[in-house]
Amino acid sequence: MASADPSRSFMKDVKRVIVKVGTAVVSRHDGRLALGRVGALCEQMKELNSLGYEVIMVTSGAVGVGRQRLRYRKLVNSSFADLQKPQMELDGKACAAVGQSGLMALYDMLFTQLDVSSSQLLVTDSDFENLKFRERLSETVESLLDLKVIPIFNENDAISTRKAPYEDSSGIFWDNDSLAGLLAMELKADLLILLSDVDGLYSGPPSEPSSKIIHTYIKEKHHHEITFGDKSRVGRGGMTAKVKAAVLASNSGTPVVITSGFENQSIIKVLQGARIGTLFHKNASLWEPLKDVSAREMAVAARDCSRRLQNLSSEERKKILLDIADALEENEDLIRSENEADVAAAQYAGYEKPLVSRLTIKPGKIASLAKSIRTLANMEDPINQILKKTEVADDLVLEKTSCPLGVLLIIFESRPDALVQIASLAIRSGNGLLLKGGKEAIRSNTILHKVITDAIPCNVGEKLIGLVTTRDEITDLLKLDDVIDLVIPRGSNKLVSQIKASTKIPVLGHADGICHVYIDKSADMDMAKRIVMDAKIDYPAACNAMETLLVHKDLMKTPGLDDILVALKTEGVNIYGGPIAHKALGFPKASSFHHEYSSMACTIEFVDDVQSAIDHIHRYGSAHTDCIVTTDDKVAETFLRQVDSAAVFHNASTRFSDGARFGLGAEVGISTGRIHARGPVGVEGLLTTRWILRGRGQVVNGDKDVVYTHKSLPLQ
């Protein structure tokens, strides 16, 4: 699906939608009807109708269809001599009269094939001067919509009362764009979509390379900046007419989107909240600043706010976190509503179940997040702590202290709860923060960001936490190694690799979460069963879930192992076998030991002993979390000492590899790197150190007058 725009979250509440189809959309360049394109549009109308939307159409094209037909008839009935004479332009009213029946016949045929009923309503400008007409029109449309009939409107050009109906812009409406805007207001539509032959409104003529699409029209910002190109090649409106109609309708309360009628599923995408076309909304000026904020300005603002945050007392920083926890609970219904819209859109778009699972904010999650934030708030203040105190020389004392890293850029996928954890950790550690979530969670991330930043006091500033909304901004941010101090990507192997290859900024994170559980021959099999089941099914989509089960070869075809495998299959886990397990137990062969399922699936393989298990983990693992189940302490110590992973467990589920479970309050991510921080990264992983030297006027002067003592002093 196209990337989502946070300003389009209202789409989930749209019920009545008017779709205006332009002449350029329904016809080809030679003037004939574009049958394939019209058919595709009708299929979208059918889908919307079946989903419960009230669909109203306004269509252009009658004049164009009629002109094509009349030119053909005139050619057929003309003599050679007639053709030598100057050809007069065909009467537009006659073209409209002839073309209207042909256009409606096409719509009727297509909708009939889709088992949908449609109706024709021809109106003129003067009709709307009559209040009774407008009342009857609304009643008729309501009746048709109740019957799931699609009303199709068109201006009745054949009997228009305007002197020059193709030029005169006076009156109540003056073309089908303005008619669609008028109907949106008259029929109280929730949304108006104007389909064109371009992707939306551009800053200049779309044919010019310098022109850029405007995704949200803000009158104060764009009104004097836009240069319009030529009018429509076939209709009498063009983009100027569409913008005028869109401004009028949106100011009256009906949001409008101008988008391409050529793009596949464009209407469906608009209603899913996709960031396509140009949105007109009466509140647009409140959503977006009049001046674009550059990536550098966003990063610098976060740094400035972080310095103000560091100047607060420990109690003041603690209060911010407690206020955020309260705000999350107070806004739970709104957060859940926005998240449900994201989940519905993801399911409709066909996202895989593990991603949808990670995306979902389940019941109790907000309370859990609030609890973890309060736990974090009540922990000892992590910044400005004296870590080491040394007497360098007489009356010259050196202190090693903790301090924030500066500005963090976190790029994460799927999990909106990660935004809350990361933001709370950044505030507790005194860091500025820039967040970029996945497009599939745009509504959830937007509301969570608003709830959190609204709780940040003015003396710190809401720009402490910036929400990056487009992929383009990421490219610019990754160049700011002079402002941003650490990038933490949370997502797929591909995402992490791309980030590392695209920046000079230090990157902290992990790629895959290929976690192992090794059952040694001395294992208590009841314990092993509990651990394996928890590690796999407690939360299969988590990065600390078991992906590979390694089993000592002596346990092959034993009752204890059989019991574990039956339990896994009973819970719905798909089991794949390595070369040995595939042959011995008949499981489907695993495609690779490097695979992270993130779902109800795992691989099983047999190994000779603990050393073989360690070698397998080093060869195929991702250095995330690995576990041994055994009652032999010597074997356990061998495993714990030699497995080179961020977290190594003995007789405990891999699911314990988590910042909150480790007592860190929350985690910004899990690092499988070996520099700075490793494993679940909490507050301490977001800190660095600085040295503070307190003296009484001492100078080095070639070390002539300094007697170095380098004596450790108590911290208190």
Side-chain angles (χ1 to χ4, degrees):
M1 191 177 87
S3 60
D5 188 327
S7 63
R8 303 193 185 194
S9 60
F10 69 87
M11 292 292 180
K12 62 182 173 51
D13 297 319
V14 169
K15 182 180 180 183
R16 179 171 295 180
V17 56
I18 296 179
V19 179
K20 187 269 174 177
V21 185
T23 304
V25 177
V26 301
S27 62
R28 305 185 311 185
H29 281 277
D30 61 4
R32 296 181 182 277
L33 284 169
L35 299 179
R37 197 154 52 238
V38 176
L41 291 172
C42 289
E43 287 182 350
Q44 290 185 76
M45 303 296 179
K46 152 76 175 179
E47 186 169 351
L48 295 180
N49 206 24
S50 64
L51 289 172
Y53 287 96
E54 296 179 346
V55 184
I56 301 167
M57 285 182 65
V58 178
T59 184
S60 297
V63 175
V65 172
R67 182 177 290 114
Q68 180 70 22
R69 289 188 173 188
L70 289 178
R71 279 176 178 169
Y72 176 74
R73 297 313 308 167
K74 187 174 181 181
L75 177 63
V76 169
N77 295 314
S78 296
S79 65
F80 182 76
D82 290 335
L83 294 175
Q84 304 307 307
K85 299 175 183 177
Q87 297 297 304
M88 299 294 292
E89 177 60 35
L90 294 168
D91 176 55
K93 292 176 181 286
C95 291
V98 171
Q100 185 63 37
S101 60
L103 182 63
M104 285 308 302
L106 175 64
Y107 278 121
D108 185 63
M109 178 192 70
L110 291 171
F111 278 126
T112 299
Q113 291 297 315
L114 295 168
D115 198 26
V116 174
S117 297
S118 61
S119 61
Q120 176 181 234
L121 294 97
L122 293 176
V123 295
T124 63
D125 178 82
S126 58
D127 290 333
F128 286 87
E129 296 174 357
N130 186 326
L131 180 60
K132 289 292 184 183
F133 168 83
R134 291 159 62 183
E135 291 174 355
R136 297 291 178 269
L137 178 68
S138 294
E139 291 172 1
T140 300
V141 171
E142 292 291 343
S143 297
L144 291 170
L145 294 175
D146 285 343
L147 295 168
K148 285 199 166 283
V149 175
I150 296 179
I152 303 178
F153 280 87
N154 197 353
E155 179 182 5
N156 196 346
D157 290 328
I159 58 170
S160 173
T161 57
R162 287 200 298 272
K163 294 180 181 178
Y166 313 111
E167 299 174 4
D168 182 11
S169 61
S170 62
I172 297 176
F173 69 86
W174 50 94
D175 57 17
N176 277 319
D177 290 316
S178 55
L179 170 59
L182 174 61
L183 290 172
M185 294 181 280
E186 286 286 330
L187 303 175
K188 298 180 174 57
D190 301 313
L191 178 68
L192 168 61
I193 300 175
L194 300 176
L195 296 180
S196 179
D197 55 352
V198 292
D199 293 331
L201 176 62
Y202 282 76
S203 56
S207 58
E208 294 183 5
S210 59
S211 297
K212 294 184 177 180
I213 192 168
I214 298 167
H215 284 296
T216 302
Y217 177 85
I218 300 173
K219 182 179 179 181
E220 297 86 346
K221 178 179 177 181
H222 298 121
H223 181 64
H224 299 294
E225 296 179 2
I226 299 170
T227 303
F228 291 104
D230 298 331
K231 288 187 176 183
S232 169
R233 61 178 172 82
V234 282
R236 67 173 184 268
M239 189 57 72
T240 307
K242 287 177 176 57
V243 170
K244 188 172 182 179
V247 169
L248 288 172
S250 60
N251 286 344
S252 299
T254 300
V256 183
V257 174
I258 298 176
T259 191
S260 172
F262 289 65
E263 183 179 341
N264 184 39
Q265 295 285 292
S266 58
I267 302 171
I268 301 295
K269 290 175 183 176
V270 166
L271 287 164
Q272 289 173 346
R275 193 169 184 262
I276 65 170
T278 302
L279 171 67
F280 293 74
H281 196 289
K282 65 178 181 180
N283 296 329
S285 61
L286 304 178
W287 297 335
E288 189 173 316
L290 299 183
K291 180 179 180 297
D292 286 328
V293 178
S294 69
R296 175 170 291 278
E297 289 171 329
M298 187 183 296
V300 169
R303 183 182 62 189
D304 292 342
C305 290
S306 73
R307 288 172 177 167
R308 292 197 289 270
L309 176 67
Q310 294 166 41
N311 286 333
L312 299 182
S313 67
S314 177
E315 284 301 310
E316 288 173 315
R317 286 195 297 273
K318 174 180 176 180
K319 185 178 185 303
I320 294 174
L321 288 175
L322 295 177
D323 288 345
I324 289 173
D326 292 342
L328 287 170
E329 291 179 333
E330 290 166 4
N331 289 277
E332 179 173 2
D333 289 345
L334 180 57
I335 294 168
R336 291 284 302 279
S337 174
E338 293 296 284
N339 179 249
E340 286 168 3
D342 277 334
V343 171
Q347 290 172 332
Y348 185 86
Y351 284 114
E352 295 181 356
K353 288 183 179 180
L355 185 144
V356 176
S357 177
R358 292 193 295 271
L359 174 62
T360 306
I361 296 178
K362 296 180 174 64
K365 187 63 178 179
I366 296 298
S368 175
L369 289 170
K371 181 180 178 181
S372 68
I373 293 173
R374 294 186 180 107
T375 299
L376 192 62
N378 290 313
M379 292 172 64
E380 184 180 9
D381 192 346
I383 65 176
N384 300 319
Q385 293 289 323
I386 300 174
L387 306 175
K388 185 177 182 181
K389 196 170 185 179
T390 304
E391 179 191 84
V392 176
D394 189 35
D395 285 332
L396 191 63
V397 177
L398 179 66
E399 296 174 348
K400 182 181 181 181
T401 64
S402 60
C403 70
L405 283 169
V407 177
L408 314 174
L409 170 59
I410 316 294
I411 303 168
F412 60 101
E413 297 176 337
S414 305
R415 294 186 179 93
D417 59 301
L419 184 150
V420 179
Q421 296 182 43
I422 294 164
S424 58
L425 284 167
I427 292 170
R428 196 68 178 110
S429 58
N431 287 290
L433 180 62
L434 302 175
L435 293 160
K436 173 63 175 77
K439 63 183 181 182
E440 67 280 353
I442 187 66
R443 296 175 179 85
S444 307
N445 291 337
T446 300
I447 187 60
L448 287 169
H449 175 260
K450 177 172 173 53
V451 169
I452 290 170
T453 53
D454 283 353
I456 297 174
C458 296
N459 60 339
V460 173
E462 63 179 14
K463 293 181 181 179
L464 173 72
I465 302 174
L467 185 64
V468 181
T469 56
T470 68
R471 191 181 292 266
D472 294 340
E473 290 172 290
I474 289 295
T475 303
D476 295 334
L477 288 166
L478 290 174
K479 297 175 183 177
L480 302 179
D481 55 297
D482 60 327
V483 186
I484 297 174
D485 300 285
L486 183 67
V487 180
I488 304 178
R490 291 185 60 169
S492 65
N493 192 329
K494 181 181 178 182
L495 171 70
V496 177
S497 299
Q498 287 176 341
I499 298 300
K500 287 183 175 180
S502 305
T503 186
K504 296 178 181 178
I505 305 169
V507 178
L508 181 150
H510 76 277
D512 293 328
I514 303 176
C515 302
H516 298 76
V517 173
Y518 166 57
I519 304 177
D520 188 55
K521 65 180 179 180
S522 66
D524 178 327
M525 296 305 285
D526 288 335
M527 178 194 294
K529 179 181 177 181
R530 290 197 304 274
I531 290 172
V532 168
M533 296 301 290
D534 184 79
K536 183 66 261 180
I537 69 173
D538 180 63
Y539 188 6
C543 62
N544 58 15
M546 180 192 77
E547 304 293 0
T548 300
L549 174 62
L550 298 176
V551 182
H552 194 286
K553 63 180 182 180
D554 290 356
L555 298 176
M556 190 184 300
K557 297 183 179 178
T558 59
L561 178 60
D562 290 344
D563 188 33
I564 292 173
L565 298 178
V566 169
L568 286 170
K569 287 189 283 187
T570 300
E571 290 293 333
V573 177
N574 294 316
I575 303 175
Y576 298 89
I580 299 173
H582 164 66
K583 189 174 182 180
L585 302 180
F587 290 119
K589 194 171 184 178
S591 59
S592 171
F593 283 125
H594 288 290
H595 185 63
E596 180 181 12
Y597 294 100
S598 297
S599 63
M600 291 286 278
C602 69
T603 299
I604 180 174
E605 183 59 316
F606 293 102
V607 292
D608 292 339
D609 51 27
V610 66
Q611 194 60 53
S612 297
I614 294 168
D615 292 343
H616 181 104
I617 290 169
H618 287 166
R619 182 174 181 181
Y620 300 110
S622 59
H624 190 295
T625 303
D626 298 291
C627 157
I628 183 173
V629 184
T630 183
T631 57
D632 188 327
D633 291 342
K634 185 177 180 180
V635 170
E637 286 305 312
T638 298
F639 188 91
L640 295 175
R641 284 198 312 271
Q642 293 188 26
V643 171
D644 189 14
S645 295
V648 190
F649 299 165
H650 175 208
N651 291 346
S653 169
T654 57
R655 290 282 291 124
F656 280 107
S657 187
D658 174 83
R661 296 185 179 102
F662 277 15
L664 306 180
E667 69 178 38
V668 72
I670 292 180
S671 171
T672 53
R674 289 166 172 78
I675 297 176
H676 176 64
R678 198 175 186 199
V681 179
V683 170
E684 290 183 3
L686 304 180
L687 300 173
T688 186
T689 57
R690 57 181 176 168
W691 299 90
I692 296 175
L693 187 65
R694 304 178 190 275
R696 292 182 180 272
Q698 293 93 331
V699 294
V700 173
N701 191 27
D703 291 328
K704 297 174 185 176
D705 303 318
V706 180
V707 178
Y708 292 100
T709 58
H710 293 144
K711 182 170 66 177
S712 294
L713 300 175
L715 298 181
Q716 300 298 329

